[in-house]
Amino acid sequence: MSSRRLGNPTRRFVGGGSNSLAGIFHSKTRLTPLLPIILVLVGAFAILSHLYTHSGGFRDTKIIHMVEGDFGCSLDVQMAIPFLRKTYGDGMQKVLHVGPDTCAIVSKLMKVKDVEAWGVEPYDIEDADVACKRLVKKGIVRVADIKFPLPYRPKSFSLIIISDAVDYLSPKYLNRTLQDLARVSADNLVIFTGYSGKSRAKVQQLSNFGRPAKMRSALWWARFFVQMSLDENEAAAMKFEQAAYEGSYKPKCQVFHLNSYQ
């Protein structure tokens, strides 16, 4: 939580001599008792905010990214949901999101009409809030190591969205993971990944991911998709870009639209 300083309001007094001094003295006499009250109100507000955060409500992802310095793609995914809906339409009937902050993303997807949403959280959720743990308990969100095959049948989901997950995989595990995600996708995959040259790893992230992020260029990914026999869905990419442009949405991450294995 960022610290706040209460600035002292400046006052202008019209007049001179003893009348001005008397006014200043009277003003200080009235303001001094208000200081403890203001401090109490600020403290109460901080306590209420803390209680709400841990009582089941999802923290605003944008605020988390600003405060904790996390410049990942999770916020991009949440903002992109309406444009993904315009792009894929009925192809979003059953969606799987894979990556951190999946509870927040799944909760937003579940509010979209005719969309059934599921999530895979690849990392520890000990610090997750009550609402997230409730999704895990219900089986809507699963905590799983994505370096190994996921416990889903082939073509279980019409669309799979991946964010902030593949950036931390070595090529060895990246091959296995994308093959498995393509296996459980019936139609399409959308990958949100960082731009090359932009390091997002920090001490807190290293403890979760075990390695710094590896930012790869669009050309690297294009070659990798060819190697994996994954075709880029150019029609979906153009439709998404058009919808994003009309909605004044500009992703901070690279977005790749792929066809699943047929």
Side-chain angles (χ1 to χ4, degrees):
M1 185 177 291
S2 57
S3 59
R4 298 183 179 179
R5 292 190 304 173
L6 296 175
N8 294 324
T10 57
R11 291 178 177 267
R12 205 179 201 184
F13 296 95
V14 180
S18 60
N19 288 337
S20 297
L21 291 174
I24 293 173
F25 178 79
H26 181 64
S27 174
K28 288 184 177 180
T29 303
R30 289 190 306 166
L31 283 177
T32 302
L34 291 177
L35 183 58
I37 298 176
I38 294 174
L39 292 176
V40 170
L41 291 175
V42 171
F45 177 78
I47 292 173
L48 288 174
S49 299
H50 178 78
L51 289 176
Y52 174 76
T53 298
H54 294 277
S55 64
F58 287 114
R59 292 184 293 172
D60 182 49
T61 306
K62 187 173 184 180
I63 294 177
I64 294 175
H65 283 230
M66 290 169 52
V67 173
E68 297 183 355
D70 181 5
F71 298 96
C73 300
S74 297
L75 179 59
D76 262 356
V77 176
Q78 294 186 55
M79 296 177 65
I81 289 175
F83 311 110
L84 290 171
R85 182 62 168 168
K86 289 183 178 180
T87 301
Y88 291 99
D90 293 339
M92 283 186 66
Q93 290 180 352
K94 194 170 184 179
V95 181
L96 174 69
H97 172 261
V98 179
D101 295 331
T102 193
C103 288
I105 293 171
V106 167
S107 70
K108 285 205 169 189
L109 285 168
M110 292 172 68
K111 296 177 182 178
V112 180
K113 185 179 179 181
D114 297 327
V115 171
E116 183 179 343
W118 304 81
V120 172
E121 171 60 64
Y123 311 111
D124 185 37
I125 62 165
E126 285 185 1
D127 296 330
D129 57 28
V130 175
C132 182
K133 291 181 178 179
R134 189 180 298 123
L135 290 176
V136 174
K137 187 175 181 180
K138 290 180 179 179
I140 297 174
V141 170
R142 184 188 299 270
V143 180
D145 189 340
I146 60 174
K147 294 193 297 294
F148 302 97
L150 295 174
Y152 299 115
R153 295 179 180 178
K155 303 185 184 302
S156 294
F157 304 95
S158 55
L159 177 67
I160 294 180
I161 304 171
I162 309 154
S163 63
D164 293 325
V166 293
D167 291 329
Y168 295 88
L169 294 175
S170 65
K172 172 185 175 182
Y173 288 111
L174 184 59
N175 290 350
R176 298 179 183 178
T177 297
L178 278 188
Q179 282 181 350
D180 190 54
L181 291 174
R183 175 186 66 84
V184 300
S185 169
D187 299 307
N188 299 283
L189 301 94
V190 180
I191 299 177
F192 287 75
T193 183
Y195 284 96
S196 61
K198 293 185 179 180
S199 177
R200 297 175 190 170
K202 54 181 181 173
V203 175
Q204 181 180 351
Q205 286 179 321
L206 288 175
S207 64
N208 291 332
F209 300 114
R211 58 184 294 126
K214 179 71 173 178
M215 300 305 169
R216 291 137 174 156
S217 66
L219 179 58
W220 188 96
W221 281 110
R223 291 173 176 171
F224 180 76
F225 296 146
V226 171
Q227 177 187 338
M228 297 289 297
S229 299
L230 286 170
D231 297 326
E232 294 193 57
N233 190 334
E234 295 181 1
M238 292 179 62
K239 196 171 182 179
F240 177 79
E241 290 177 3
Q242 181 63 30
Y245 175 79
E246 293 174 354
S248 300
Y249 164 66
K250 187 177 181 180
K252 293 183 179 180
C253 297
Q254 299 182 92
V255 184
F256 299 102
H257 301 260
L258 306 171
N259 294 316
S260 61
Y261 293 132
Q262 301 300 322

